[in-house]
Amino acid sequence: MRELGPADTVGILRRPGVRVRHTSSGLGWEQLYLSAQQERPYRDLFDPAPTHLLILHLDGPVTVRRGRGGGARTRTVPAGGLFLQPAGRALAVELGGRLDTVHAYLADEALRDANDGRPVKLCEELGATDPLAEQLMLALEGAVRCWEPSARTYTDLLTGMSPRSWCATTASAAPRCPAPHGPGSPPGSSPPCAS
């Protein structure tokens, strides 16, 4: 298996005005690509990516708009808020202010492996909070920022825990994702769903 990298992402990191601080490029990670950066306000449409994207907001609050037209949702997301984009789906998003973020791009195979080989269907999230996911992302970001070869065992453990935490969250969820925040479903409220 090859290392995940920028080509496996939706393309946010290639936007003008994104100042990438550090990434996991060159570390040999096959199931996870991690980057930390500062983003400027933008509005864009991104093609589907082969990886699931989890964004941790390091500061805020900031207004984020997801989707287009009548299906668009807007939310003010605080520091610690999460944004989840499932693999294989186009992304329309608008960021309303400067924001420091950590992006984790996770291979679908990692989710399946953590779910005993069964597929996992993730739902879009906007502004959700998950203390375990936040701490895992901060730990991975810290390891990348201060990388040394002896950290490989530690990061392998953290990388393995990341999809497991998503699958553990899905265990009590409904078997199918609700319609993306349709009537009666408040923005940011749907959990990831196993199917």
Side-chain angles (χ1 to χ4, degrees), residues 54 56-57 79-82 129-139:
L54 185 62
L56 172 64
H57 290 214
L82 299 169
T129 57
D130 180 332
L132 178 58
E134 178 180 0
Q135 290 305 310
L136 287 170
M137 289 186 65
L138 290 172

Side-chain angles (χ1 to χ4, degrees), residues 25-46:
S25 288
L27 301 181
W29 296 4
E30 298 171 345
Q31 295 193 323
L32 180 73
Y33 176 73
L34 191 102
S35 66
Q37 56 279 316
Q38 182 178 72
E39 302 178 45
R40 285 196 206 155
Y42 67 87
R43 180 181 351 173
D44 212 338
L45 176 63
F46 300 97

Side-chain angles (χ1 to χ4, degrees), residues 7-144:
D8 300 296
T9 72
V10 296
I12 294 172
L13 303 177
R14 294 185 294 270
R15 283 196 46 76
V18 172
R19 188 170 63 99
V20 177
R21 292 190 172 106
H22 43 271
T23 74
S24 61
S25 288
L27 301 181
W29 296 4
E30 298 171 345
Q31 295 193 323
L32 180 73
Y33 176 73
L34 191 102
S35 66
Q37 56 279 316
Q38 182 178 72
E39 302 178 45
R40 285 196 206 155
Y42 67 87
R43 180 181 351 173
D44 212 338
L45 176 63
F46 300 97
D47 291 330
T51 53
H52 304 285
L53 167 61
L54 185 62
I55 299 174
L56 172 64
H57 290 214
L58 296 176
D59 55 10
V62 67
T63 301
V64 179
R65 180 179 171 93
R66 173 181 211 141
R68 294 189 293 176
R73 297 167 293 149
T74 302
R75 199 132 184 230
T76 300
V77 181
L82 299 169
F83 181 102
L84 177 63
Q85 176 66 18
R89 295 187 194 172
L91 171 62
V93 66
E94 179 178 353
L95 177 62
R98 285 183 180 251
L99 183 64
D100 288 319
T101 59
V102 176
H103 290 200
Y105 293 87
L106 188 66
D108 190 62
E109 180 182 337
L111 281 179
R112 286 193 318 269
D113 289 350
N115 196 34
D116 297 324
R118 296 184 314 265
V120 177
K121 182 178 179 184
L122 298 177
C123 297
E124 296 176 353
E125 290 285 356
L126 176 57
T129 57
D130 180 332
L132 178 58
E134 178 180 0
Q135 290 305 310
L136 287 170
M137 289 186 65
L138 290 172
L140 284 164
E141 186 274 334
V144 169

